[in-house]
Amino acid sequence: MIRAAVLPAVGAPLEITGIELPEPGPGQVRIRLAAAGVCHSDLSLSNGTMRVPVPAVLGHEGAGTVVSVGEGVTHVAPGDGVVLNWAPSCGACHPCSLGEVWLCVNALNGAANVHARAADGRALHPGLNVAAFAEETVVAAPCVLPVPEGVPLTDAALLGCAVLTGWGAVHHAARVRQGETVAVFGVGGVGLATLQAARIAGASTIVAVDVSPEKEELARAAGATEYVVASETTAREIRKLTGGHGVDVAVECVGRAVTIRTAWESTRRGGRTTVVGIGGKDQQVTFNALEIFHWGRTLAGCVYGNSDPAVDLPVIAGHIRDGSFDLGALVTERITLDGIPGAFDAMLAGKGGRALVVF
């Protein structure tokens, strides 16, 4: 038996409880977790914004050490440090054939599998494939990638979602160029990674926007040159900071209709607005036909940073090793499994950056 955070039903409180985890079968890997990040997507799973089979072991951003491998697994071995990849691409579907592996239609098929058993015999599913809110997990071999050289194992957990998403939003989805101006809406874990990525990309003015005045120091440490507390005048304030034009690129990391609309209005004529945040179906964003024509802006979604983890992780690792990307700066709280419900409450209240479960 190992301890894990189990979601018994949508909308129900998490249960920190013992579960029975099987040994890895063919094509599977067993991992002892070193750390797992608490992401807003985990909260979205718990409240039903995103749907997966339940009951489930949550957690999708993690890193750890390989304990054992099943038949046919050759790219990792016991003792190796690995990063969990919650959205492995199949390589065969239509998006994969186009090289858009982040849109793989089969990436989350594993969430329907039986992952483990609760103490009372209930079958448990693996949340977003990897069930990282647990002392150990068993995952399909494509869900693990070797930790890049020179990256601390505990901090490497952040690579599995926040960093890849923020990095990709800047470098792949929005394609920020040297000297461009950028606004980042939402200074949580993904927002902090996005700010660092914008700084590395060579953005000139980098505006961070959040509802909390307390996050200004975090944002500036990550690369923000300006900080705006979200209000009804946010778009106007951002235009004033950019010569009256608006930013070249706005990245929305919240997933709320009002924030998406504000990000759009903060973008210059002909600029790019990239939406990273995951909102519910009730979050309706409206535009009129004339403004779409007049402003000539591009509005685009961004899934997992439009990243290919196997390609992007070595690049990001280079920036970590040379000190230009600080993984530790994303973390504002280090907790145990028992602290996850409190971390959810903090996210709902808009407090802090990334909470990291350390095992």
Side-chain angles (χ1 to χ4, degrees):
M1 298 286 284
I2 61 166
R3 295 183 78 231
V6 175
L7 178 68
V10 172
L14 284 182
E15 298 175 355
I16 312 301
T17 185
I19 66 171
E20 185 178 349
L21 192 67
E23 290 302 314
Q28 292 184 321
V29 181
R30 183 167 183 144
I31 298 147
R32 181 177 300 111
L33 272 296
V38 183
C39 178
H40 204 281
S41 295
D42 298 308
L43 182 59
S44 296
L45 293 174
S46 72
N47 65 25
T49 299
M50 297 170 63
R51 291 282 184 173
V52 293
V54 291
V57 179
L58 296 187
H60 64 281
E61 181 184 85
T65 303
V66 175
V67 175
S68 56
V69 300
E71 181 183 351
V73 177
T74 58
H75 73 297
V76 293
D80 288 351
V82 293
V83 177
L84 296 177
N85 174 19
W86 61 271
S89 56
C90 71
C93 68
H94 183 60
C96 285
S97 73
L98 298 175
E100 298 172 350
V101 297
W102 55 92
L103 298 178
C104 176
V105 298
N106 298 310
L108 294 180
N109 286 356
N113 295 339
V114 174
H115 172 71
R117 295 279 174 182
D120 61 7
R122 286 176 299 163
L124 303 175
H125 301 284
L128 291 179
N129 281 330
V130 297
F133 287 167
E135 294 168 331
E136 295 189 11
T137 188
V138 173
V139 302
C143 290
V144 297
L145 295 166
V147 171
E149 183 180 350
V151 179
L153 184 59
T154 299
D155 290 347
L158 302 167
L159 295 172
C161 184
V163 174
L164 276 170
T165 300
W167 175 268
V170 167
H171 291 272
H172 300 317
R175 299 182 183 275
V176 175
R177 298 183 289 267
Q178 179 83 26
E180 288 193 312
T181 54
V182 176
V184 177
F185 289 76
V187 184
V190 172
L192 289 168
T194 304
L195 288 168
Q196 291 204 49
R199 172 176 47 76
I200 291 170
S204 52
T205 300
I206 304 175
V207 185
V209 183
D210 199 275
V211 296
S212 172
E214 289 76 22
K215 291 187 179 182
E216 181 171 359
E217 185 177 348
L218 274 175
R220 289 189 180 275
T225 60
E226 309 288 343
Y227 192 82
V228 172
V229 178
S231 70
E232 293 181 354
T233 63
T234 294
R236 192 181 313 155
E237 291 180 61
I238 290 175
R239 287 195 294 272
K240 285 181 181 178
L241 292 169
T242 52
H245 306 294
V247 289
D248 297 302
V249 172
V251 182
E252 198 273 358
C253 303
V254 181
R256 296 182 63 236
V258 65
T259 317
I260 294 169
R261 178 73 211 194
T262 303
W264 164 269
E265 292 174 356
S266 301
T267 309
R268 69 166 174 83
R269 195 175 188 188
R272 287 110 60 205
T273 305
T274 298
V275 179
V276 173
I278 301 173
K281 293 180 180 179
D282 61 325
Q283 295 292 312
Q284 298 292 316
V285 188
T286 59
F287 306 91
N288 67 59
L290 181 59
E291 69 175 318
I292 292 174
F293 161 77
H294 172 76
W295 289 102
R297 297 165 174 146
T298 300
L299 177 67
C302 175
V303 178
Y304 203 8
N306 294 9
S307 290
D308 181 345
V311 173
D312 288 327
L313 284 184
V315 176
I316 297 169
H319 292 290
I320 294 169
R321 288 191 293 268
D322 69 19
S324 57
F325 197 107
D326 183 1
L327 284 176
L330 275 61
V331 180
T332 53
E333 188 178 18
R334 294 177 187 265
I335 60 175
T336 65
L337 273 175
D338 298 286
I340 295 175
F344 278 6
D345 291 339
M347 277 193 289
L348 285 170
K351 296 179 179 178
R354 199 49 130 219
L356 190 67
V357 181
V358 180
F359 295 92

